[in-house]
Amino acid sequence: MKAALIVSVIWTLYTLSYLCNLFFYLGLVIPPTSHRAISSGLICTLVFLLFPAGKGEIGGIFWGKILPILVILTGALYIAIQADALIADGRLVTTPSETVLAALFLASVVEAARRTTGWILVGLILLFFFYAVYSDSFPGFLKSTGFSYTMALGWMYLSGEGVWGMILGIVSTIVAGFIIFGGFLKATGASGFFTDLALALGGSLRGGAAKAAVLASTLFGTISGSTAANVATTGQITIPLMKKTGYEKNYAGAVEAVASLGGMFMPPVMGATAFLIAEFLQISYWEICVAAFLPAVAYYITLLTQVDLEAAKLGLRGLPRKSLPSLKKTLMGGWQYLAPFVLLLFLLGFLRYSPQTSIMYTLAALVVVSSFRKNSRLTPRKLLTALEESASGMVHIIPLCTAIGILVGAIQMTGAATKFTSILLTFSGGDLWVLLPMAGLAAFILGMGMTAVGVYILTVVLLAPALIRAGVEPLAAHMFLFYFGCLSFITPPVAVEAFIAAGISGGSPFKTGFRAMRLGFAAYLVPWVFIFNPGILMIGSWIDALKGFCFVTLGAVTMGAVFEGHVLVSLRWWERGLLTVVAFCVFIPNWAARVPGLVLLVLLVLSQVLRMRRQGAQSAIAENNA
């Protein structure tokens, strides 16, 4: 659609100009609120151009596209022009014309979020908005000061505490910069390079197709803000390859789903939430990347171990070396994709530049180095694709964050977050062993059908204060909720990633989802380590971090062997039971539990070695007799 392409190009070029301060050098001052309105207006317009209201276009083109686009553009333009005056006035009560415009604009924003995210978010937003209006009629602890519709709409639309708040500010600047970088990276051919690199590194190993899938999804996850996009992109190559080499179709889909979920936990993008975590906690983005790195590595080591054990159990071998890309040739032909990442780490970690400045320099470096090779050079067609891909990467983020500003605004107006915190602390009695399961379950439910950004914002606003007041380290609380919120991506009944992977593999979505739960169980266990052993988040000394990482990884790998039923040879039922005990003993940050666990683990491994030798000897005798 030409209109969508035009809007995409306009948004990307405008955002790049804003992030590079081009308007400032031209003598144009665009206030932050104006920028947020412009960015939101253009992306919401793109949503209405690309996403139908339902099956067919309910209500026709006018009601389904033209009218909401006119409302969105008018509402956004009004704020963009009036931003300075509105902030100076501090006015929350709308005029009659502003009331109508605010109501129509907010309704259109919520509809844009529904088309990209689904009904769950819409239901929550409407619930909190009407709670803000009628909170004076609620009983008991739910009772609050009610607000008129004009004041509620004014708070959401005219102030900086509603839809134009901090959340939209982060996603329209820093997140937008990283998404644009990802769009340009894909347009230059990086997706193919990462797949070839994964195949060259792991394809020839035992169960090489599955290991290549894990590596490819990890690499792609560093540039993608969406797990669904990760599954749909890399899964088209990796899932058929896994099936071809002997993996069962549901298992193949599960591997891809779990590997793609890990992209949400692996820096630097983390599904675009890393920047929000930094803003909420008022710490540097680099600290978030450092904190998230070791848990993500533990997650992937566990997954790689499990697919290796499954390959051993099934007797699968690696892919033929001659059918795989050459590692040397792959690196020689794709160094230009890795160089910008090295620069990004240097700018963020060594020079301590801001994420916004760092990503602009990195993007410029990508454009320069990609021009050295013909296959990665940005031709006019590729440039147009990059501009379009960049805007497409934001259609699931900006409308959601604009709409979720209504929910956040309602919470701030009524003090609902404080009330909710008090309720959780009252029910749990402040006991972490009661509070944490409650918070984890609530985060899981809130995450159903949501994006990583959406689930993080919801959980951190509603649940994080209770954990922090109960004595949990703030960073550990945020990471705990983020991990649990993302679990619904692979856990039935929603399991969006499992459904996408099953569509590619031809398997059952529910069987794929339940298999993914077993493969991705580390994501269910690691968040507890954040609470009781926060050293793995680089809180404290590096020795504590390394010790926590080693024991978490060992415990997760041990539990992975239990699920696979194999170490060196197949596990007997009692060995599985003992290994389960070992895994939990190793997880507990107490040497009184860890030492017996380690002793049991050594004994079980020795038992496996002896059994493997006996089986080898018996096989040799059988072959000689034959």
Side-chain angles (χ1 to χ4, degrees), residues 343-419:
L343 175 63
L344 179 63
L345 293 175
F346 177 74
L347 294 174
L348 286 170
F350 185 75
L351 296 183
R352 298 287 176 170
Y353 283 7
S354 70
Q356 182 175 320
T357 302
S358 299
I359 200 62
M360 287 298 100
Y361 279 123
T362 304
L363 178 59
L366 172 66
V367 173
V368 172
V369 297
S370 64
S371 65
F372 293 158
R373 302 190 69 88
K374 184 178 180 180
N375 64 325
S376 62
R377 193 173 300 142
L378 280 173
T379 63
R381 181 180 292 276
K382 285 184 179 180
L383 179 60
L384 195 63
T385 300
L387 298 175
E388 185 178 17
E389 281 279 343
S390 300
S392 297
M394 296 300 289
V395 296
H396 292 280
I397 299 177
I398 282 186
L400 180 147
C401 290
T402 307
I404 217 167
I406 301 172
L407 184 149
V408 174
I411 288 173
Q412 291 174 336
M413 290 176 74
T414 60
T418 303
K419 296 176 185 294

Side-chain angles (χ1 to χ4, degrees), residues 557-602:
V557 167
T558 303
M559 199 64 199
V562 173
F563 281 121
E564 296 301 326
H566 193 92
V567 179
L568 299 175
V569 293
S570 295
L571 291 170
R572 293 166 174 159
W573 66 268
W574 60 269
E575 289 177 315
R576 281 193 174 195
L578 280 180
L579 271 182
T580 303
V581 173
V582 167
F584 282 101
C585 285
V586 171
F587 263 116
I588 297 172
N590 188 312
W591 285 106
R594 283 176 173 171
V595 170
L598 291 172
V599 171
L600 277 176
L601 181 60
V602 171

Side-chain angles (χ1 to χ4, degrees), residues 211 300-310 557 560-561 564:
K211 290 174 181 174
Y300 276 114
I301 288 176
T302 305
L303 178 57
L304 283 169
T305 301
Q306 284 186 265
V307 298
D308 179 70
L309 294 177
E310 179 73 9
V557 167
E564 296 301 326

Side-chain angles (χ1 to χ4, degrees), residues 132-471:
V133 175
Y134 297 108
S135 57
D136 57 337
S137 301
F138 279 74
F141 61 83
L142 293 174
K143 189 178 181 64
S144 182
T145 305
F147 296 88
S148 66
Y149 278 103
T150 55
M151 183 168 285
L153 290 169
W155 182 281
M156 309 300 179
Y157 180 65
L158 297 179
S159 77
E161 305 300 323
V163 296
W164 315 118
M166 174 269 292
I167 295 170
L168 184 59
I170 295 297
V171 300
S172 63
T173 51
I174 300 174
V175 174
F178 276 80
I179 295 297
I180 291 173
F181 173 68
F184 273 74
L185 201 58
K186 284 188 277 187
T188 57
S191 298
F193 164 72
F194 286 147
T195 301
D196 288 345
L197 180 60
L199 287 169
L201 287 171
S204 62
L205 302 176
R206 182 172 66 185
K211 290 174 181 174
V214 174
L215 293 173
S217 294
T218 306
L219 294 169
F220 189 81
T222 61
I223 64 173
S224 172
S226 168
T227 56
N230 201 341
V231 175
T233 304
T234 59
Q236 296 287 350
I237 299 171
T238 59
I239 291 176
L241 195 59
M242 282 187 276
K243 288 172 62 181
K244 184 178 179 181
T245 55
Y247 284 102
E248 190 265 334
K249 58 186 176 181
N250 293 308
Y251 188 90
V255 169
E256 180 57 45
V258 175
S260 295
L261 174 65
M264 295 299 98
F265 308 141
M266 179 64 77
V269 178
M270 296 173 64
T273 59
F275 319 102
L276 292 169
I277 298 174
E279 186 66 26
F280 272 109
L281 294 177
Q282 290 297 292
I283 60 179
S284 73
Y285 162 72
W286 179 251
E287 288 180 71
I288 301 300
C289 290
V290 171
F293 180 69
L294 289 180
V297 172
Y299 176 92
Y300 276 114
I301 288 176
T302 305
L303 178 57
L304 283 169
T305 301
Q306 284 186 265
V307 298
D308 179 70
L309 294 177
E310 179 73 9
K313 185 170 64 177
L314 298 176
L316 302 181
R317 297 186 178 183
L319 297 166
R321 185 74 249 184
K322 61 181 180 181
S323 67
L324 297 173
S326 163
L327 179 59
K328 181 179 178 180
K329 289 182 178 179
T330 300
L331 289 174
M332 290 294 291
W335 63 270
Q336 68 272 21
Y337 303 120
L338 298 176
F341 283 98
V342 175
L343 175 63
L344 179 63
L345 293 175
F346 177 74
L347 294 174
L348 286 170
F350 185 75
L351 296 183
R352 298 287 176 170
Y353 283 7
S354 70
Q356 182 175 320
T357 302
S358 299
I359 200 62
M360 287 298 100
Y361 279 123
T362 304
L363 178 59
L366 172 66
V367 173
V368 172
V369 297
S370 64
S371 65
F372 293 158
R373 302 190 69 88
K374 184 178 180 180
N375 64 325
S376 62
R377 193 173 300 142
L378 280 173
T379 63
R381 181 180 292 276
K382 285 184 179 180
L383 179 60
L384 195 63
T385 300
L387 298 175
E388 185 178 17
E389 281 279 343
S390 300
S392 297
M394 296 300 289
V395 296
H396 292 280
I397 299 177
I398 282 186
L400 180 147
C401 290
T402 307
I404 217 167
I406 301 172
L407 184 149
V408 174
I411 288 173
Q412 291 174 336
M413 290 176 74
T414 60
T418 303
K419 296 176 185 294
F420 197 68
T421 297
S422 299
I423 294 167
L424 286 174
L425 291 174
T426 300
F427 277 123
S428 65
D431 187 342
L432 281 179
W433 289 106
V434 179
L435 179 60
L436 289 172
M438 290 172 59
L441 179 61
F444 173 79
I445 293 171
L446 288 171
M448 290 183 175
M450 297 287 287
T451 63
V453 171
V455 67
Y456 170 72
I457 295 170
L458 285 176
T459 55
V460 75
V461 170
L462 294 173
L463 303 171
L467 297 182
I468 294 170
R469 279 184 56 184

Side-chain angles (χ1 to χ4, degrees), residues 25-50:
Y25 295 128
L26 294 175
L28 299 173
V29 178
I30 300 178
T33 302
S34 296
H35 166 67
R36 297 168 191 178
I38 294 169
S39 189
S40 178
L42 288 172
I43 293 297
C44 287
T45 297
L46 186 61
V47 168
F48 285 110
L49 289 172
L50 294 176

